[in-house]
Amino acid sequence: MDPQSALPAQLVRLAQEESFSPQRVLDAVHAALAPRTGVRRAEVLAHERGRLVVVARAGEAGPVPGACATFTLRHGGAELGLLHLHGGDPSTVDRAVGAAAGHHLAVALRDVTTAREQAELHRVTDAVRRLFEEGVRAVSVEAAGRLLVAVAADVLGTERAAVMLVAPDTRVTHVLGVGLPEELEQRLAASLLGRLARDSPAWQRAALTGGPDVVDAGGGPPGRPGGGVHSHRLRSKLKLPLMSAEGLVGTAVCGDVTRSRTWTPADRVLARRLALQGAVVVDNARLRELEQAHLRQLEHRAFHDQLTGLPNRAALLGALGDALDPVTGDGGVALLLIDLDGFKRVNDTLGHHSGDVLLQQVAVRLRELLPAGATGARLGGDELAVALAGPAADLAADLARAVHARLGEPYVIEGRTVRTGASVGIARAPRDATDTTGLLRAADEAMYRAKRAGDGPRTAR
């Protein structure tokens, strides 16, 4: 039988095989057509990433003299690609044979396109899932931003990616990058941090469109001098506005500097999904960051004196308890109990405001004297304390003398010189007591003896 006449039945059998592909179909078509038509090379081209690419070739390599006949491959009303026949006389192809060849090549291309679309869908799904799963662990805006650019650069396959995040007033708070030279990232941060993003035309355009801004290789403007695209020197870019329910929270830019690129519809879909999910990740990270800051603030208030900023009685008792614990403790423990002499006189003569200022200045001086391993605290009124644990406990006597001398120096409050003193009592564990209550009682007894003597610190008996 004539190979051309046998081709339709052969193609039907091929379509039933698992290895059905554009290359298998084209091999059969070329083998059937070449003897009668003289076709020397056949090619199938498919639409891929915005351009036509050869997906199958049969016959001679290299230049082929003669005309090239082109046939459109359609399926379901959509153009999927082209069939090129080089050399010979394609007009001698039987119409029924040509229709069968075109149909089966289009079906094979459809299968390839469907597989590619499914792969792109998996790429989008995997990227969003990764962003979501890792995003729930981002406890800061910076961590969320770094995750976003890392995922975007990875799944889009770009050489560089950067994200700019803003505060509610659009002031730039973070500039983070992937694949950026350190010097470039620092330069971008220096030029953008603290600026109002809403003043930028690019920001205004992103807020207006809400979708990805795409520039293919060689297309679009070079970018505003000093801006992200201009500084990156990207040959192609894809800019993602990060839109939250409250508006733009930032923008991300992905692109290449050493190669040309044409962004596909699949790339744009992926970019849009990344932008939407990225905005959620950044928003949630900001909420977690605010929550952590609020918790730290509450904890600070619970364990610090609001007037002086020193740890309070609860914090001191906690430090003493930890130091005295036989399992977690670190050796010796010492406690200094400090009472300001003349504080009541300052309150009575200059007013409570001056008394508060005096306590704040006392706290500053006390902090300056504290060694590592020491906890200074205000217990209430004009009573202060210092807990020393581990090696720092050996410094108790020297520190007590320094505190007595430093707190006895003059203070200037609203232009007036104020003088006061400090009575300091010292107690040590386990010599003077083995628990917190006993240590406080021993230090208190020593402090009152120091107050009566008025000539310096005293140690518990």
Side-chain angles (χ1 to χ4, degrees):
M1 180 183 292
D2 176 31
Q4 189 172 175
S5 302
L7 181 61
Q10 182 183 1
L11 293 177
V12 170
R13 290 194 298 273
L14 275 177
Q16 297 172 350
E17 298 177 3
E18 291 185 5
S19 58
F20 183 68
S21 69
Q23 186 62 59
R24 290 287 308 280
V25 175
L26 188 64
D27 287 341
V29 168
H30 179 263
L33 298 184
R36 176 170 294 188
T37 65
V39 171
R40 299 168 65 179
R41 185 170 72 228
E43 293 175 328
V44 173
L45 293 83
H47 295 288
E48 185 175 310
R49 297 190 177 275
R51 52 198 175 94
L52 283 168
V53 297
V54 176
V55 296
R57 179 180 286 126
E60 298 180 13
V64 174
C68 172
T70 299
F71 303 90
T72 302
L73 302 177
R74 297 180 181 275
H75 189 276
E79 180 181 323
L80 301 180
L82 301 173
L83 169 63
H84 284 178
L85 298 178
H86 298 268
D89 184 8
S91 64
T92 61
V93 176
D94 181 87
R95 178 168 295 186
V97 172
H103 169 75
H104 283 84
L105 283 170
V107 170
L109 275 184
R110 181 206 60 188
D111 292 346
V112 170
T113 302
T114 300
R116 186 169 63 245
E117 289 174 348
Q118 290 177 342
E120 294 291 356
L121 179 60
H122 287 310
R123 182 168 71 122
V124 173
T125 304
D126 290 345
V128 172
R129 181 170 59 245
R130 176 184 167 190
L131 194 57
F132 176 76
E133 290 176 350
E134 297 184 27
V136 297
R137 297 193 292 272
V139 295
S140 70
V141 172
E142 179 176 352
R146 291 199 181 280
L147 170 63
L148 174 59
V149 292
V151 172
D154 186 19
V155 299
L156 288 170
T158 59
E159 296 169 336
R160 290 184 178 178
V163 64
M164 178 182 73
L165 303 175
V166 302
D169 65 351
T170 78
R171 193 170 302 279
V172 179
T173 58
H174 298 82
V175 177
L176 310 164
V178 168
L180 273 64
E182 184 177 352
E183 182 271 334
L184 173 57
E185 187 168 352
Q186 291 174 352
R187 191 167 72 246
L188 280 172
S191 66
L192 295 174
L193 287 177
R195 294 179 57 180
L196 290 175
R198 63 170 178 256
D199 294 339
S200 163
W203 181 271
Q204 296 165 10
R205 185 169 62 252
L208 181 65
T209 63
D213 181 12
V214 178
V215 174
D216 293 328
R224 175 179 54 83
V229 176
H230 183 272
S231 299
H232 287 304
R233 302 190 183 279
L234 300 177
R235 297 177 62 182
S236 58
K237 76 172 178 72
L238 195 154
K239 189 171 185 179
L240 319 175
L242 307 178
M243 300 292 297
S244 75
E246 303 301 321
L248 271 175
V249 298
T251 58
V253 177
C254 302
D256 299 312
V257 293
T258 65
R259 60 190 179 190
S260 300
R261 177 160 185 165
T262 300
W263 301 98
T264 68
D267 291 331
R268 297 171 190 240
V269 170
L270 176 55
R272 188 179 293 275
R273 292 290 300 276
L274 284 176
L276 291 174
Q277 186 62 41
V280 173
V281 169
V282 170
D283 256 359
N284 288 342
R286 179 173 283 121
L287 291 175
R288 284 191 287 270
E289 197 172 55
L290 291 173
E291 181 182 5
Q292 291 298 319
H294 182 60
L295 290 175
R296 287 193 298 269
Q297 186 179 47
L298 291 178
E299 184 178 8
H300 186 273
R301 288 179 179 177
F303 294 100
H304 287 79
D305 175 59
Q306 297 303 301
L307 177 63
T308 64
L310 290 171
N312 59 15
R313 179 181 290 271
L316 179 80
L317 294 178
L320 286 174
D322 291 341
L324 292 168
D325 188 292
V327 177
T328 62
D330 187 23
V333 180
L335 174 65
L336 274 58
L337 209 57
I338 308 160
D339 189 78
L340 297 182
D341 301 326
F343 178 74
K344 184 176 184 301
R345 183 181 69 252
V346 174
N347 267 345
D348 292 343
T349 58
L350 301 181
H352 290 283
H353 172 70
S354 295
D356 289 346
V357 173
L358 174 61
L359 285 172
Q360 291 169 341
Q361 293 188 18
V362 166
V364 170
R365 295 185 181 186
L366 183 62
R367 284 195 194 92
E368 293 172 349
L369 296 172
L370 295 180
T375 300
R378 181 190 178 200
L379 303 185
D382 61 348
E383 191 174 35
L384 307 166
V386 177
L388 301 113
D394 297 334
L395 306 174
D398 291 339
L399 179 61
R401 287 190 291 270
V403 167
H404 176 264
R406 184 73 176 99
L407 300 190
E409 295 175 3
Y411 300 86
V412 177
I413 300 176
E414 297 180 347
R416 302 182 64 172
T417 299
V418 174
R419 294 182 179 276
T420 184
S423 299
V424 185
I426 310 168
R428 300 175 183 274
R431 187 192 67 183
D432 303 316
T434 57
D435 59 15
T436 300
T437 302
L439 203 59
L440 283 167
R441 186 182 299 116
D444 189 60
E445 180 272 331
M447 184 269 291
Y448 275 106
R449 285 195 292 109
K451 185 178 288 290
R452 287 193 296 270
D455 58 358
R458 289 291 186 272
T459 301
R461 295 174 179 174

